[in-house]
Amino acid sequence: MNVERQGHSECFLVTIAALSDTSLAATRARALELTEKITSEPIPWADLAWRNIDAWWTVAETLSHECGLTYDKTAFYVATGGLDSTLPARGRGTVQVRHDSISHIMPWEDGLVWDPENPVSGVTLEDWLSAHSGWTVYDVQTQRQVKAKRKET
């Protein structure tokens, strides 16, 4: 799994790219393609949530489904947090954390989480939480295998 450093507000795109085994550039392009179909204009990912939150959710849900994840706004808004900080020893997926009104998503693989803000090496989720005071886990997902992988563009 290759985890690239995120740009502004791109933790979701980096996570999808890593779990799709595609580049961040290809994932950005796919997000822009989906955004243009929905909004009829090329809104960059970093601006999409602020300009059209419904389109952001539609694009996020589509990208996550394409790589074998479930990511939907219902779960996001009703999540209470305080989940266990232990990740499965095998497999891949996402971990979502919150600090006040800020949320962050990171990919994990074989028990280690990779932070798109500083993807130098994987750490245990417990160690990540210890280094980031005030953050709580509100969702952990395991990636399903997807039959047709998305092509690099």
Side-chain angles (χ1 to χ4, degrees), residues 6-151:
Q6 74 177 66
H8 179 68
S9 297
E10 288 188 325
C11 58
F12 180 82
L13 292 183
V14 169
T15 298
I16 293 299
L19 294 173
S20 300
D21 296 318
T22 60
S23 69
L24 177 55
T27 303
R28 270 190 204 116
R30 177 69 176 135
L32 192 60
E33 173 190 333
L34 292 168
T35 299
E36 285 187 83
K37 284 182 183 176
I38 295 164
T39 66
S40 300
E41 59 180 315
I43 304 170
W45 183 260
D47 299 333
L48 185 58
W50 312 116
R51 291 184 53 192
N52 189 331
I53 191 65
D54 291 331
W56 188 96
W57 278 110
T58 300
V59 173
E61 289 173 355
T62 301
L63 290 172
S64 65
H65 289 257
E66 288 177 355
C67 82
L69 296 166
T70 302
Y71 191 75
D72 65 76
K73 61 184 168 190
T74 304
F76 179 84
Y77 288 116
V78 300
T80 57
L83 297 177
D84 185 14
S85 62
T86 304
L87 295 173
R90 293 280 171 237
R92 293 171 21 150
T94 62
V95 60
Q96 295 174 58
V97 292
R98 271 195 195 146
H99 184 279
D100 297 325
S101 63
I102 301 167
S103 62
H104 188 52
I105 186 169
M106 303 174 281
W108 63 265
E109 182 174 49
D110 296 341
L112 299 178
V113 67
W114 298 79
D115 190 341
E117 288 186 342
N118 186 23
V120 176
S121 64
V123 297
T124 66
L125 182 54
E126 186 175 355
D127 286 347
W128 189 91
L129 290 168
S130 292
H132 296 82
S133 179
W135 289 84
T136 59
V137 178
Y138 71 92
D139 189 38
V140 174
Q141 289 191 28
T142 301
Q143 183 180 27
R144 298 180 317 276
Q145 294 301 316
V146 180
K147 296 207 186 276
K149 276 181 53 171
R150 184 165 39 92
K151 292 189 299 188

